[in-house]
Amino acid sequence: MSDRDEWDYGPFKVGDVVECYGLAFDYDRIGKEAEIILGKEERSVHHEIVGHCSIICYCVKWEDGGASFVQEKHLRRRKPPMSGFTRIM
């Protein structure tokens, strides 16, 4: 990612507010905000399409109250705005 990218792609910590992108199965969650509620670790999950698998992911709580496991590659948070000031010495 470039220095001017407005997004931060992790790692994340519990309590961070993130946005999801690039989800293949839960496409209705793309662009939705979520809060990290459990840190990154390997978890055993069951998905309706894929079945039982083990993935390294975060547990997030969605703004609508639901919770799910999401891989770090599908999470990002907005960086604070750049001030525009550059220091010249």
Side-chain angles (χ1 to χ4, degrees), residues 27-79:
Y27 57 86
D28 57 329
R29 301 276 192 190
I30 294 173
K32 303 290 183 185
E33 283 193 355
E35 179 183 353
I36 304 287
I37 57 173
L38 289 174
K40 181 175 160 183
E41 64 181 55
E42 186 171 357
R43 294 189 169 83
S44 216
V45 297
H46 179 79
H47 194 279
E48 297 171 5
I49 298 171
V50 179
H52 181 77
C53 60
S54 185
I55 59 172
I56 296 173
C57 58
Y58 290 93
C59 183
V60 299
K61 182 177 180 184
W62 299 99
E63 54 190 5
D64 65 7
S68 59
F69 296 110
V70 182
Q71 291 176 298
E72 183 174 12
K73 67 182 181 181
H74 297 297
L75 298 173
R76 63 187 178 191
R77 71 174 156 252
R78 207 174 276 283
K79 290 180 184 175

